[in-house]
Amino acid sequence: MLHRITPLFATALLFSANAQTNVQTNSDGAIASRYSADANRLIDAALKDDAALNRLEYLCYRIGNRLSGSPALEQAVKWSVEEMTRAGLSNVRTIPVKVPHWVRGAESAEMLEPARKPLFMLGLGNSVATPAEGITADVVSVSTFNELEALGRAKVAGKIVLYDVPFTTYPETVVYRGTGASRAAHLGAVAVLVRSVTPRSLRDPHTGSLVYTVDDPKIPAAAVSVEDAMWIHKLTASGERVRVQLKMQAHFEPDADSADVMGEIVGSKKPDEVVVIGGHLDSWDVGQGANDDGGGIMAALGAVALMKQLGLHPARTVRVVFWVNEENGARGGAAYKAWAGDQVAKHIAAIEMDGGAEKPIGFELAAAAGPGRDPVRMRSEAEAIAALLKRIEASAVNPGGGETDIAPLMDAGVPGFGLRTVMTHYWDYHHTQADTFDKIVPDDFRRCMATFAVMSYVLADWP
């Protein structure tokens, strides 16, 4: 999961208070009058549903984690086609996508001095390998890029750089995981260790992607647990020599064949206009990908399956998409946009859930002005629709940046919704071995499904 940050869209949501009040008043009454009964039917059905939860359990326990290029992801693609068909969706199909195939291989990290002890680590996605014998070097510890630059090449060259950066927000902290290796390599570092991007830890490392720059050497990079990062940093700060051996067999295989999976309820009056909803089918190669993002895709499928079961047939098409390769390449979202071609202009909205399946609070909306698209009105109508979710406390609509897989659609002007949850524990097991089905709270997951269902159905039906 990587939240899309789009200041342009956020800025476009600023509007005058008077205009907002007038449009809001009109939208609230009409939408509430027309859709309250259907919204309550969807919510009631979602809160009693077991089918979506059973699908998620199967995905987690029978297929497991699903990194791009892995046999498990291709098993998940095939199974997803079967499940969409079984749920009664129309036009179930796949969009071929060539995905990167990064392989973790064996890996380890060990402190050799001042005490000999293994470190809890996970190689970062897309990292290169160490030599077969590993890399053994002294560690220099920093908490900011400014500290790294202040050390300079004289104190960094030949060393392993540890970024011990406490979690603030994900966008602020994840940059050390994403670009830290190249920043350190530019000063001559031979490897990088990154404190796991999480506010809490039980000695569990968190993986995730890095991106190498073109002009700097590619050096191995791994995440270490919060506790190990603090421990090493404390030692180096006190003047102790800390020496670490890092071994990683990470490498890329040739790009692999994969596919986005989609199915839909065809619109009854405007079938060529589309509300697309979904999440990403791939996950990291640890844990089971339960919250990131099995919960998102199963809630989306469940939402559309509920519409079918209740006989609700919106005017526009509601399309469920399971995108692939969100975690280490985002090629699935780009492939979907290319497949849609000129029809992107007829996408009314795109909704993605990729923030875990905890209790939903509502949506973040990114809506830009364009031909036939008024951000003031879009925001007003979104708030009126979300008001139908007050009974499950999921009615918030705030400015935001959407999600990675729908970013190509948002770049083309499609309004983007990110379904948001409380995220109380999401960062605790994000990209770890602990992202497993037992962390899913059934009633919270069902509320996510209800939130998806109400927003997507009304968006697809509202004139």
Side-chain angles (χ1 to χ4, degrees):
M1 173 235 182
L2 178 62
H3 283 321
R4 167 67 182 255
I5 308 301
T6 53
L8 174 63
F9 283 146
T11 301
L13 285 171
L14 298 176
F15 44 77
S16 74
N18 289 338
Q20 170 63 6
T21 299
N22 293 336
V23 178
Q24 182 71 47
T25 300
N26 295 334
S27 297
D28 274 353
I31 288 176
S33 174
R34 182 165 180 164
Y35 294 108
S36 289
D38 287 342
N40 283 322
R41 290 177 67 203
L42 285 166
I43 293 170
D44 289 341
L47 295 181
K48 294 184 291 187
D49 183 77
D50 287 325
L53 197 65
N54 290 339
R55 292 188 193 102
L56 178 56
E57 183 177 25
Y58 185 98
L59 177 66
C60 292
Y61 284 141
R62 301 292 293 276
I63 298 177
N65 56 60
R66 308 166 295 280
L67 185 60
S68 291
S70 68
L73 179 59
E74 297 325 296
Q75 181 185 357
V77 167
K78 180 180 178 181
W79 173 79
S80 297
V81 170
E82 295 168 353
E83 286 301 304
M84 288 190 186
T85 303
R86 191 174 293 118
L89 274 60
S90 301
N91 300 323
V92 177
R93 71 196 84 171
T94 59
I95 299 174
V97 184
K98 280 285 189 182
V99 297
H101 186 188
W102 180 78
V103 179
R104 179 176 300 280
E107 57 183 15
S108 65
E110 184 180 12
M111 181 189 292
L112 304 180
E113 296 181 40
R116 188 155 195 157
K117 195 164 185 177
L119 302 175
F120 292 83
M121 62 83 74
L122 279 174
L124 295 183
N126 303 337
S127 176
V128 297
T130 66
E133 68 276 12
I135 291 174
T136 302
D138 290 356
V139 177
V140 292
S141 303
V142 297
S143 293
T144 67
F145 286 133
N146 287 340
E147 289 181 18
L148 176 72
E149 296 298 326
L151 288 175
R153 175 170 287 271
K155 295 183 178 178
V156 172
K159 304 292 199 308
I160 295 173
V161 170
L162 166 70
Y163 292 103
D164 178 31
V165 184
F167 186 96
T168 51
T169 67
Y170 188 71
E172 290 176 347
T173 313
V174 77
V175 294
Y176 291 89
R177 189 192 77 201
T179 66
S182 290
R183 295 282 294 261
H186 186 72
L187 296 176
V190 294
V192 158
L193 301 175
V194 180
R195 172 171 166 161
S196 289
V197 183
T198 178
R200 288 171 293 273
S201 177
L202 292 175
R203 218 79 188 265
D204 46 346
H206 296 228
T207 190
S209 282
L210 62 80
V211 179
Y212 290 116
T213 58
V214 174
D215 297 330
D216 295 305
K218 294 182 179 181
I219 60 175
V224 294
S225 70
V226 170
E227 296 87 345
D228 284 349
M230 295 174 69
W231 177 31
I232 293 172
H233 198 171
K234 179 67 73 173
L235 289 172
T236 58
S238 67
E240 287 277 3
R241 180 191 189 191
V242 177
R243 197 161 178 82
V244 165
Q245 182 180 69
L246 178 66
K247 291 184 177 182
M248 296 173 58
Q249 293 181 342
H251 65 281
F252 275 101
E253 299 283 348
D255 283 359
D257 293 320
S258 190
D260 294 335
V261 184
M262 72 176 78
E264 54 195 30
I265 293 179
V266 179
S268 60
K269 297 179 181 178
K270 300 178 179 181
D272 58 335
E273 296 185 7
V274 177
V275 173
V276 62
I277 69 174
H280 63 88
L281 182 57
D282 65 304
S283 75
W284 280 107
D285 57 334
V286 293
Q288 296 171 346
N291 273 280
D292 190 15
D293 185 29
I297 57 175
M298 291 301 111
L301 175 55
V304 177
L306 289 178
M307 295 178 207
K308 293 281 292 183
Q309 292 169 21
L310 296 174
L312 297 174
H313 200 169
R316 300 179 184 86
T317 295
V318 179
R319 178 177 295 153
V320 180
V321 182
F322 296 176
W323 290 280
V324 293
N325 187 226
E326 189 271 350
E327 294 293 4
N328 65 335
R331 296 185 188 177
Y336 175 82
K337 180 185 176 184
W339 172 84
D342 294 342
Q343 295 303 306
V344 168
K346 294 192 174 183
H347 280 57
I348 302 304
I351 312 174
E352 183 168 9
M353 174 178 159
D354 189 17
E358 295 179 81
K359 184 178 182 294
I361 58 175
F363 298 89
E364 288 183 358
L365 169 62
R373 286 174 172 151
D374 176 4
V376 176
R377 180 170 182 171
M378 286 188 281
R379 170 69 180 266
S380 172
E381 294 181 349
E383 289 180 338
I385 298 169
L388 300 171
L389 293 159
K390 283 182 179 179
R391 59 177 280 203
I392 59 170
E393 301 177 322
S395 60
V397 177
N398 297 306
E403 298 287 2
T404 299
D405 295 302
I406 62 175
L409 298 176
M410 292 161 54
D411 289 343
V414 179
F417 291 76
L419 196 159
R420 292 289 172 254
T421 72
V422 292
M423 300 184 83
T424 304
H425 297 291
Y426 180 73
W427 300 117
D428 299 355
Y429 33 72
H430 178 247
H431 294 181
T432 73
Q433 295 284 9
D435 185 8
T436 49
F437 181 77
D438 58 287
K439 309 305 186 306
I440 301 292
V441 178
D443 285 345
D444 288 347
F445 171 77
R446 293 184 179 107
R447 288 184 179 92
C448 288
M449 182 165 52
T451 303
F452 241 144
V454 170
M455 181 59 74
S456 59
Y457 172 72
V458 180
L459 281 172
D461 196 68
W462 176 237

